[in-house]
Amino acid sequence: MQRKWMRLTAAVLTVTMLMGCQKENSTEVAVDNTNRTYYEVFVYSFYDSDGDGIGDLKGLTEKLDYINDGKASTDTDLGCNGLWLMPIMPSTTYHKYDVTDYKDIDPEYGTLEDFQALVDACHERGINVIIDLVMNHSSSKHPWFQEACEYMQSLGEGEEPDATVCPYVDYYNFTKEKKGGYVQIPDTDWYYEAQFWSEMPDLNLYSDAVREEFADITAFWLDLGVDGFRLDAAKEYVSDNVTANVEILTWFNDMVKTQKEDAYIVAEVWTDINTYGKYYESGINSCFDFAFAGNTGIIATVVNQAKPASAYGNALVNMQEIIGEYSDEYADAPFYTNHDLARGAGYYAGNNGESQAKIAQTMNLLMSGDAFLYYGEELGMKGSGKDENKRAPMYWSEDPDEKGMCNGPADMDSIKMKYGSLETQKEDAHSIYNYVKKVIWIRNHYEAISRGTVTTENELSGEDICVIRKTGTEDEIVLAFNISDQFQTVDVSALQVNDILVGEKQLAEQILVGEDQASIKDGRLELPP
């Protein structure tokens, strides 16, 4: 029989709050490449500064205070201290994953001067900036490919390409053999590799010349103040060849870290954890943790009760063990949704979908490492199906004509949002927006949350309850999640945190989807539905 969903709760227990410290007296944890909270932005759909319906860099700069105003004394910002920009380089498409110039800004978004102003404004607020680097392929309109194709079309019968005549033939993968993922060059019997689309020819990342180009490209952006790179489609550098891809990432990591020692590198390796764990051998900081993401990931399946609550804690430990085989210095990159996945609010139907959407964000943002939040997820935005729907305009206002509102991609379907805009939600203490803000605040103020090593309290966990311990360099905390539709009581009489038995004053924080409170009395922790 299916459960009737009510409210869900996450509670935080820690001995560091034994004396009842108040939020106002606590300080944020120092941040580096192991514990930031990144906000992923699709500039096209975020905020429009000039009224053309397309988001731009000036608009994003104007809205930085929404992400983080840099002032510890305020609580009006989200508190994110990292910014990931989806592709911003010149391109022929709205999504800009087909780059025509790796050292410029797409005119729809502005200029290099606008970008420099954005980076400077971010750094003033303590926000690190990473940009999408599309290294697997270029645009078919990139001058490299255009010159290579013109040369290939000029070859006579039986003549082979010569890189000393046209160096760009070595930049791509040409063959006379028609293979899967290859496209014919018009008026020739030559084919080029294009695994994603005919207009996205794959680059030959084993070419020394191509590697020199990318060394020049990364230096260019690092000189502008960029703090690192998100690597698109790293699994496809050499499709179906983990060893080759790890070698390419090793070269890239070593090259970039020579240019900027503390540059942050996170790779998209869209596959199972046993496979993307191996990519950490390259030395890169992070791989996105796909095991927890999307409507089939650990988080959604636990929240939907397709798996017991304890599966969440067990998956965290399993992830640590797998990645730990390949790296001692990794930073996990948990995320719940992104621009390729349906938005999280659509995973849950019924009257309690909002509660489920909230606790799912908690499970993502309380994971260790560099956590990622896709723009609008803090508002419970909807969007599924084709990619354009997942990249809808940021929901600043219910009025589409309000200043700064974007039109969104041209082929986007009409989307009726399930929850209110920021305009509405910021005034509601129980909104998804204010809930996510609190979760990020807690993440920023407890070192063990973002840096801790996880162990499960197996004897306290089960179908409805997950209790995990996170041990950082400064303290321990215990997180208890109730995903059931009933009050749950957990016997914590024998539970120790930092070698001290849990007591009534050790309920340091409560992350509540409703008004019912958690409590500890006589060694028993009571969690609301």
Side-chain angles (χ1 to χ4, degrees), residues 211-518:
R211 292 189 176 193
E212 288 174 10
E213 293 278 12
F214 277 102
D216 185 51
I217 290 162
T218 54
F220 174 83
W221 292 103
L222 291 170
D223 285 347
L224 287 173
V226 162
D227 299 288
F229 303 96
R230 179 264 183 184
L231 300 180
D232 179 62
K235 183 173 74 75
E236 305 303 329
Y237 290 162
V238 181
S239 296
D240 303 318
N241 192 328
V242 174
T243 301
N245 292 330
V246 170
E247 189 281 325
I248 290 167
L249 285 174
T250 301
W251 151 73
F252 183 84
N253 181 73
D254 293 347
M255 177 267 292
V256 169
K257 299 294 174 63
T258 299
Q259 295 173 341
K260 178 178 170 59
E261 186 177 3
D262 63 347
Y264 177 63
I265 299 171
V266 55
E268 178 201 30
V269 185
W270 196 339
T271 182
D272 63 278
I273 190 169
N274 289 299
T275 302
Y276 63 75
K278 297 175 184 177
Y279 280 70
Y280 281 94
E281 283 189 318
S282 65
I284 61 173
N285 301 86
S286 304
C287 286
F288 286 111
D289 207 341
F290 278 91
F292 289 81
N295 60 0
T296 60
I298 295 296
I299 291 174
T301 52
V302 166
V303 173
N304 268 322
Q305 290 190 303
K307 291 184 178 179
S310 58
Y312 171 69
N314 293 336
L316 291 174
V317 173
N318 181 58
M319 175 271 296
Q320 287 176 165
E321 292 174 350
I322 290 172
I323 300 176
E325 292 180 19
Y326 302 101
S327 173
D328 294 327
E329 299 180 355
Y330 74 91
D332 188 31
F335 75 106
Y336 181 48
T337 66
N338 66 13
H339 57 279
D340 288 322
L341 299 173
R343 286 189 174 274
Y347 300 170
Y348 312 108
N351 294 333
N352 297 291
E354 182 174 346
S355 295
Q356 293 171 289
K358 286 177 177 178
I359 203 166
Q361 292 294 347
T362 310
M363 288 177 163
N364 175 50
L365 292 167
L366 296 190
M367 287 175 64
S368 299
D370 293 282
F372 286 77
L373 177 69
Y374 187 37
Y375 80 96
E377 287 294 294
E378 72 278 13
L379 302 175
M381 283 178 59
K382 286 182 63 179
S384 61
K386 58 188 179 182
D387 285 345
E388 290 86 346
N389 296 347
K390 303 163 189 170
R391 302 164 191 179
M394 176 64 175
Y395 202 28
W396 301 108
S397 170
E398 278 89 353
D399 180 0
D401 297 321
E402 184 71 21
K403 179 181 181 298
M405 289 292 288
C406 300
N407 295 334
D411 294 333
M412 181 187 75
D413 297 328
S414 177
I415 302 172
K416 181 173 176 55
M417 294 299 169
K418 189 173 183 179
Y419 306 109
S421 69
L422 174 67
E423 216 169 43
T424 302
Q425 290 199 37
K426 66 183 179 182
E427 305 302 329
D428 177 4
H430 298 292
S431 68
I432 296 177
Y433 166 71
N434 281 308
Y435 179 95
V436 170
K437 252 198 342 179
K438 177 167 184 179
V439 178
I440 295 173
W441 186 95
I442 289 173
R443 175 180 173 81
N444 289 343
H445 286 77
Y446 291 88
E447 184 265 350
I449 290 279
S450 55
R451 289 200 179 104
T453 300
V454 179
T455 53
T456 56
E457 298 295 324
N458 291 313
E459 70 284 359
L460 303 181
S461 302
E463 190 71 25
D464 299 321
I465 297 292
C466 180
V467 182
I468 62 174
R469 182 184 302 269
K470 302 191 81 174
T471 304
T473 59
E474 298 175 6
D475 59 13
E476 281 186 329
I477 59 170
V478 169
L479 308 177
F481 298 85
N482 175 16
I483 65 162
S484 78
D485 64 351
Q486 303 291 325
F487 273 89
Q488 296 289 337
T489 300
V490 184
D491 184 353
V492 295
S493 59
L495 181 67
Q496 294 189 4
V497 186
N498 288 329
D499 298 322
I500 299 175
L501 282 172
V502 169
E504 292 181 22
K505 293 185 178 180
Q506 291 174 256
L507 188 59
E509 303 288 350
Q510 298 192 46
I511 310 171
L512 304 167
V513 302
E515 296 181 2
D516 291 327
Q517 299 287 305

Side-chain angles (χ1 to χ4, degrees), residues 18 60 64 77 80 89 106 114 119 125 133 210 240 249 254-255 276 291 300 305 349 369 390 408 452 458 476 491 502:
L18 182 62
L60 175 55
L64 280 182
D77 58 322
C80 295
M89 300 165 191
D106 192 293
D114 295 334
V119 172
R125 291 164 171 79
L133 185 60
V210 170
D240 303 318
L249 285 174
D254 293 347
M255 177 267 292
Y276 63 75
Q305 290 190 303
K390 303 163 189 170
N458 291 313
E476 281 186 329
D491 184 353
V502 169

Side-chain angles (χ1 to χ4, degrees), residues 38-290:
Y38 279 90
Y39 193 68
E40 179 192 356
V41 169
F42 180 42
V43 175
Y44 193 96
S45 290
F46 196 64
Y47 194 82
D48 171 25
S49 73
D50 57 14
D52 65 357
I54 296 174
D56 45 54
L57 295 175
K58 285 184 176 179
L60 175 55
T61 304
E62 189 176 334
K63 282 294 184 180
L64 280 182
D65 282 353
Y66 170 77
I67 299 169
N68 193 325
D69 63 11
K71 300 172 184 175
S73 59
T74 64
D75 62 358
T76 55
D77 58 322
L78 276 176
C80 295
N81 43 38
L83 180 64
W84 159 24
L85 301 180
M86 289 172 63
I88 54 175
M89 300 165 191
S91 171
T92 69
T93 59
Y94 84 93
H95 54 70
K96 309 197 188 306
Y97 276 101
D98 59 322
V99 177
T100 60
D101 184 348
Y102 283 96
K103 294 196 290 185
D104 205 352
I105 297 293
D106 192 293
E108 285 187 323
Y109 288 174
T111 65
L112 282 169
E113 288 73 23
D114 295 334
F115 178 75
Q116 184 70 74
L118 170 66
V119 172
D120 290 345
C122 283
H123 288 168
E124 288 171 5
R125 291 164 171 79
I127 303 171
N128 272 17
V129 180
I130 63 173
I131 62 171
D132 235 310
L133 185 60
V134 188
M135 201 164 61
N136 177 70
H137 51 262
S138 74
S139 169
S140 62
K141 299 296 188 279
H142 195 290
W144 298 342
F145 189 71
Q146 294 278 293
E147 290 195 36
C149 281
E150 287 177 16
Y151 171 71
M152 297 297 286
Q153 290 172 322
S154 74
L155 294 177
E157 182 73 26
E159 192 175 357
E160 294 293 318
D162 184 349
T164 63
V165 177
C166 177
Y168 298 115
V169 296
D170 194 38
Y171 282 38
Y172 299 90
N173 301 309
F174 295 105
T175 180
K176 284 190 175 180
E177 181 184 356
K178 180 170 174 53
K179 300 187 284 188
Y182 278 71
V183 179
Q184 190 169 14
I185 302 174
D187 304 318
T188 75
D189 54 0
W190 288 96
Y191 298 84
Y192 63 90
E193 186 177 15
Q195 295 292 335
F196 284 95
W197 178 38
S198 61
E199 307 311 305
M200 291 177 171
D202 282 32
L203 285 158
N204 173 18
L205 294 174
Y206 275 115
S207 162
D208 289 339
V210 170
R211 292 189 176 193
E212 288 174 10
E213 293 278 12
F214 277 102
D216 185 51
I217 290 162
T218 54
F220 174 83
W221 292 103
L222 291 170
D223 285 347
L224 287 173
V226 162
D227 299 288
F229 303 96
R230 179 264 183 184
L231 300 180
D232 179 62
K235 183 173 74 75
E236 305 303 329
Y237 290 162
V238 181
S239 296
D240 303 318
N241 192 328
V242 174
T243 301
N245 292 330
V246 170
E247 189 281 325
I248 290 167
L249 285 174
T250 301
W251 151 73
F252 183 84
N253 181 73
D254 293 347
M255 177 267 292
V256 169
K257 299 294 174 63
T258 299
Q259 295 173 341
K260 178 178 170 59
E261 186 177 3
D262 63 347
Y264 177 63
I265 299 171
V266 55
E268 178 201 30
V269 185
W270 196 339
T271 182
D272 63 278
I273 190 169
N274 289 299
T275 302
Y276 63 75
K278 297 175 184 177
Y279 280 70
Y280 281 94
E281 283 189 318
S282 65
I284 61 173
N285 301 86
S286 304
C287 286
F288 286 111
D289 207 341
F290 278 91

